[in-house]
């Protein structure tokens, strides 16, 4: 495996912007709304001739473990445990916050080494915030600009030190790659899981993977990005793509939901097989039929999965 790097920090400090910058693609949805990212997203990243595996994570928040924010934090903690190095990002223009200091203290107790990034360092306005970051006790803060690509030379030098000490295993395709250069007979099959909100798409992905990889819960609309995860089924490599729930177009008002639905539609366009998940107590809602028609019109293989069969009111 290549060097694995996790980007962490409180909400809205620019983690997804940096993820998109380093992967060279707009994988992650970016918006001014705090807390856009919820699930871990992985992709192939590059700075110069340095390549590594990059994980984008949800914003760290000090919340109850049972809450949505607490479950999001648990996903981030798993990413840190799996990473070879963590990039802890702060907003240098906003300065340090109690949340930054709380999680910096937590990071100091972890085994994963940390590189401190002071983001949004365009011009001189953020210099005071960058200097303030020394208080975190995580070493010299690197001045970067995820939006404009500033400071990547310094980040290259910092990561290269860990790359030199990293012993890579067998090379493989990353979860976020699109299969460029792969033979048609050997490249992974791409299978997208789609459906209305709260029908159990992420739960189904977790069941297939055999682990709690995707964030789940009773709240509708938890998944926002289309997240690709590698899966091996009986020796066949598959790219599972979990998507945001898609409501009827007339009900969508918020910009963030529009972006999520657009991401889900792109997942259908790039998939070879699409699994349409239905709720057993609301089978073939009008929106289900609309989604099925869109999949067929895209020329994709369509599978119908009726979920929540254990609580179905009418099994006839």
């Amino acid at each position: 495996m290549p060097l694995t790097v996790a980007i962490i920090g409180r909400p809205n400090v620019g983690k997804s912007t940096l993820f998109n910058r380093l992967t060279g693609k707009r994988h992650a949805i970016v918006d001014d709304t705090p807390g856009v990212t919820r699930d871990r997203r992985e992709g192939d990243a590059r700075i110069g001739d340095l390549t590594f595996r990059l994980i984008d994570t949800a914003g760290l928040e000090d919340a109850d473990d049972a809450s949505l924010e607490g479950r999001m934090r648990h996903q981030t903690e798993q990413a840190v445990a799996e990473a070879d190095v963590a990039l802890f990002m702060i907003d240098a223009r906003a300065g340090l916050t109690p949340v930054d200091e709380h999680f910096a203290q937590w990071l100091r107790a972890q085994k994963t080494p940390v590189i401190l990034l002071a983001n949004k360092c365009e011009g001189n306005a953020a210099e005071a915030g960058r200097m303030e970051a020394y208080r975190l006790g995580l070493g010299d803060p690197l001045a970067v600009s995820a939006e404009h690509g500033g400071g990547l030379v310094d980040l290259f030098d910092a990561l290269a030190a860990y790359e030199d000490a990293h012993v890579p295993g067998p090379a493989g395709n990353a979860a976020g790659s699109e299969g460029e250069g792969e033979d048609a007979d050997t490249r992974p099959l791409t299978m997208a899981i789609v459906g209305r909100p709260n029908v159990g798409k992420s739960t189904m992905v977790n069941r297939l993977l055999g682990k709690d990889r995707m964030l789940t819960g009773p709240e509708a609309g938890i998944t926002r990005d289309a997240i690709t995860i590698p899966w091996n089924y009986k020796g066949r490599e598959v790219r599972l793509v979990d998507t945001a729930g898609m409501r009827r177009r007339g009900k969508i008002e918020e910009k963030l939901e529009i972006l999520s639905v657009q991401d889900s539609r792109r997942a259908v366009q790039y998939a070879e097989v699409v699994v349409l998940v239905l709720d057993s107590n609301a089978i073939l809602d009008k929106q289900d039929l609309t989604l099925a028609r869109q999949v067929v019109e895209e020329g994709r293989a369509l599978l119908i999965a009726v979920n929540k069969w254990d609580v179905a009111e009418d099994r006839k």
Side-chain angles (χ1 to χ4, degrees):
M1 293 291 292
L3 183 74
T4 301
V5 180
I7 310 173
I8 62 174
R10 63 180 176 83
N12 216 32
V13 296
K15 298 183 298 297
S16 293
T17 301
L18 181 63
F19 180 87
N20 287 342
R21 166 76 57 183
L22 296 181
T23 58
K25 297 179 181 178
R26 294 189 64 83
H27 283 297
I29 293 175
V30 175
D31 191 73
D32 291 336
T33 306
V36 172
T37 302
R38 288 175 170 172
D39 287 291
R40 285 177 283 161
R41 175 184 284 278
E42 303 178 24
D44 285 329
R46 175 188 295 273
I47 306 177
D49 60 357
L50 175 65
T51 58
F52 50 96
R53 191 95 185 97
L54 191 62
I55 306 174
D56 185 23
T57 66
L60 288 165
E61 296 187 67
D62 189 13
D64 181 78
D65 289 345
S67 67
L68 176 59
E69 292 77 12
R71 301 197 305 274
M72 290 161 57
R73 186 187 66 244
H74 179 64
Q75 288 279 328
T76 299
E77 290 170 352
Q78 287 182 321
V80 172
E82 295 172 6
D84 298 303
V85 59
L87 304 180
F88 183 50
M89 180 178 284
I90 67 162
D91 183 340
R93 289 182 178 268
L96 287 187
T97 69
V99 175
D100 293 325
E101 295 176 341
H102 173 79
F103 286 105
Q105 183 178 4
W106 173 77
L107 279 170
R108 290 198 299 270
Q110 306 307 305
K111 295 181 179 178
T112 305
V114 178
I115 297 172
L116 179 59
L117 301 184
N119 192 31
K120 305 182 184 180
C121 278
E122 307 89 352
N124 298 322
E127 182 60 17
R130 187 183 76 85
M131 297 302 292
E132 190 180 16
Y134 278 97
R135 284 172 30 202
L136 297 177
L138 294 173
D140 296 338
L142 303 184
V144 300
S145 170
E147 180 70 26
H148 301 287
L152 295 188
V153 172
D154 293 333
L155 180 56
F156 172 91
D157 292 337
L159 287 175
Y162 293 101
E163 172 65 16
D164 292 341
H166 179 69
V167 180
N173 291 313
S177 63
E178 300 296 340
E180 295 90 339
E182 295 170 315
D183 184 87
D185 294 329
T186 60
R187 70 185 180 198
L189 179 75
T190 301
M191 185 168 75
I193 314 294
V194 304
R196 290 180 288 116
N198 215 32
V199 295
K201 298 180 296 298
S202 295
T203 302
M204 178 175 291
V205 170
N206 284 345
R207 177 65 65 177
L208 292 174
L209 294 172
K211 60 181 179 180
D212 291 334
R213 172 60 177 82
M214 302 303 300
L215 188 66
T216 61
E219 305 91 345
I222 290 179
T223 302
R224 285 174 170 167
D225 295 89
I227 306 293
T228 305
I229 312 103
W231 178 48
N232 187 294
Y233 179 72
K234 295 183 178 180
R236 180 67 159 105
E237 295 295 329
V238 180
R239 290 191 185 107
L240 286 177
V241 186
D242 188 21
T243 66
M246 291 187 278
R247 298 194 298 165
R248 280 185 291 174
R249 192 170 296 178
K251 291 186 175 182
I252 301 175
E253 297 179 354
E254 295 183 3
K255 175 188 173 184
L256 191 53
E257 186 174 0
I258 293 173
L259 294 174
S260 294
V261 171
Q262 290 174 344
D263 208 25
S264 297
R265 295 193 191 284
R266 279 194 295 271
V268 171
Q269 292 171 353
Y270 285 107
E272 292 148 312
V273 178
V274 178
V275 179
L276 175 59
V277 182
L278 310 180
D279 187 323
S280 63
N281 289 316
I283 294 180
L284 293 181
D285 177 274
K286 182 179 179 181
Q287 177 64 357
D288 294 329
L289 297 174
T290 299
L291 293 175
R293 186 185 70 249
Q294 291 172 350
V295 172
V296 172
E297 289 176 351
E298 285 290 341
R300 306 300 180 244
L302 174 64
L303 298 177
I304 305 293
V306 181
N307 194 27
K308 306 183 182 180
W309 192 246
D310 55 320
V311 294
E313 297 174 358
D314 184 4
R315 301 192 184 189
K316 296 181 180 179

